Amino acid sequence: MVETTGLQLDVVVQHTCALGEGPVWDAKRNVICWIDILRGEIHEYSPEQKTHRTIHVHQMIGSIALCTNGNFIAALQNGFGFIDRTSGEVRIFSDPEENLPNNRFNDGKCDPEGRFWAGTMPLSENEPAGSVYVAGKDLSITKKIEGVTISNGMAWSRDEQIFYYIDTPTLEVVAYDYEKSTGHISNKRIVIKIPKEDGFPDGMTIDNDGMLWIGHWGGWQVARWDPDKGEKLHHIPLPVANVSSCTFGGDDLEDLYITTAKKGLTEDQLQKQPLAGSLFVVRNCGFKGMPAFEFET
Ligand code: BGC
Ligand code: CA
């Protein structure tokens, strides 16, 4: 338990991920779901029942979103697929990068129309070989963005007119005009520039004031940014360096869940950051999130 500027940061459950990522609040079941990309696991925790469940998918998993039938849609090592919530069975339906074995999927999310967006990255993390794809309701795949190095955070504005996106090494958040009916994006512009001292921008979510909450990899914090002014408004310090993503959960979407990673830390750093890889929560954080969009099945 760490006190931060009047807010209390708690570890949700005694479990550490190699690369914790992709938190999603499942409001129908009141559980927080997150993934361990490198170990190929989906985690589910019920704050009411205090139960923790792990689904093993036996390959790397970059991101998940909820389906309306309760299962998951995911971007896995072998492509886009569905994961049965009960059995953990994976059914791949398309692999747009079958010919790129040195890439893997990373962050992804459903858009307001229920399409599933997910990006890729080279395992080397050092060349712009990744892309962003969208799986439509008909399971067709469309490439949306090319030339990204570490495809990461995604969010849509409340009025569903803007798509926010992070390619981590750019240290920028960019915005596109977004057309909900077609999923078309255009008019890319930079809305936030992150100073290097703050760490690299990773996963993100949006609150109901339209402000972006970003996990700062190597930056020991989650921060709230104003995409209209490009300004940092607020930050929550974490006791671990690699903060990967965050989302709002709980009955009123006022609890901020934060994923972190052990990846990238030396033995020495790991000893000094025993909580690295934990899922943290700031209950009643003073802000409210937006419900996660789901994929219709
Ligand atoms: C990726 C990691 C990467 C990190 C920081 C994460 O989303 O999964 O592999 O190191 O971002 O850029
Ligand atoms: Ca990420």
Side-chain angles (χ1 to χ4, degrees):
M1 194 185 291
V2 184
E3 294 280 347
T4 61
T5 54
L7 294 174
Q8 186 177 308
L9 180 74
D10 288 313
V11 171
V12 174
V13 57
Q14 300 298 324
H15 170 85
T16 55
C17 287
L19 178 49
E21 274 275 3
V24 186
W25 176 254
D26 180 347
K28 286 185 194 138
R29 294 164 195 79
N30 282 317
V31 294
I32 183 75
C33 306
W34 71 108
I35 58 175
D36 188 329
I37 295 185
L38 299 177
R39 293 191 190 136
E41 294 167 351
I42 302 175
H43 294 271
E44 264 186 32
Y45 183 79
S46 160
E48 279 161 22
Q49 279 148 34
K50 306 206 182 340
T51 47
H52 177 206
R53 176 171 170 245
T54 305
I55 302 170
H56 299 269
V57 299
H58 307 290
Q59 57 178 295
M60 280 195 278
I61 179 165
S63 42
I64 51 168
L66 298 163
C67 295
T68 49
N69 69 3
N71 290 329
F72 296 107
I73 186 166
L76 298 121
Q77 196 174 338
N78 300 335
F80 284 98
F82 292 106
I83 298 168
D84 185 281
R85 183 94 165 231
T86 317
S87 69
E89 189 200 341
V90 177
R91 184 165 65 81
I92 299 290
F93 59 82
S94 186
D95 188 359
E97 295 199 344
E98 213 171 5
N99 56 342
L100 296 176
N102 299 324
N103 274 10
R104 70 158 165 88
F105 271 100
N106 205 39
D107 219 332
K109 227 174 232 182
C110 277
D111 76 3
E113 188 64 23
R115 304 175 191 91
F116 181 57
W117 295 55
T120 61
M121 52 177 269
L123 292 164
S124 69
E125 306 194 352
N126 65 8
E127 48 173 336
S131 299
V132 174
Y133 301 90
V134 178
K137 287 181 203 164
D138 59 355
L139 306 189
S140 63
I141 308 290
T142 316
K143 191 191 272 191
K144 289 288 179 184
I145 305 175
E146 278 185 328
V148 300
T149 305
I150 304 181
S151 187
N152 251 318
M154 298 178 184
W156 285 266
S157 63
R158 261 186 79 146
D159 65 5
E160 304 181 340
Q161 309 262 344
I162 303 173
F163 169 58
Y164 296 107
Y165 176 66
I166 292 171
D167 177 7
T168 293
T170 63
L171 292 165
E172 293 165 358
V173 180
V174 296
Y176 293 82
D177 294 339
Y178 163 75
E179 198 179 86
K180 184 179 172 185
S181 62
T182 59
H184 184 66
I185 53 170
S186 59
N187 187 26
K188 177 183 175 187
R189 64 260 179 201
I190 298 167
V191 289
I192 298 170
K193 284 185 185 240
I194 312 246
K196 222 175 170 170
E197 314 81 75
D198 275 356
F200 287 90
D202 195 329
M204 77 177 147
T205 191
I206 191 160
D207 67 24
N208 77 349
D209 299 319
M211 300 298 124
L212 298 172
W213 291 74
I214 300 176
H216 289 243
W217 184 272
W220 304 83
Q221 63 186 296
V222 160
R224 182 176 190 246
W225 289 84
D226 180 341
D228 299 323
K229 301 196 176 113
E231 275 169 22
K232 184 170 165 181
L233 302 172
H234 185 95
H235 84 285
I236 299 174
L238 274 286
V240 301
N242 291 342
V243 183
S244 52
S245 193
C246 58
T247 199
F248 291 90
D251 287 347
D252 303 315
L253 293 178
E254 289 175 1
D255 302 335
L256 185 71
Y257 284 93
I258 304 162
T259 53
T260 67
K262 295 202 265 205
K263 176 184 181 264
L265 300 180
T266 62
E267 276 304 315
D268 189 44
Q269 289 170 321
L270 273 171
Q271 282 205 344
K272 292 180 181 136
Q273 300 175 42
L275 296 176
S278 301
L279 176 72
F280 293 88
V281 65
V282 180
R283 292 201 181 82
N284 301 313
C285 70
F287 299 92
K288 204 176 161 86
M290 308 270 294
F293 301 115
E294 298 187 353
F295 192 88
E296 237 170 82
T297 39

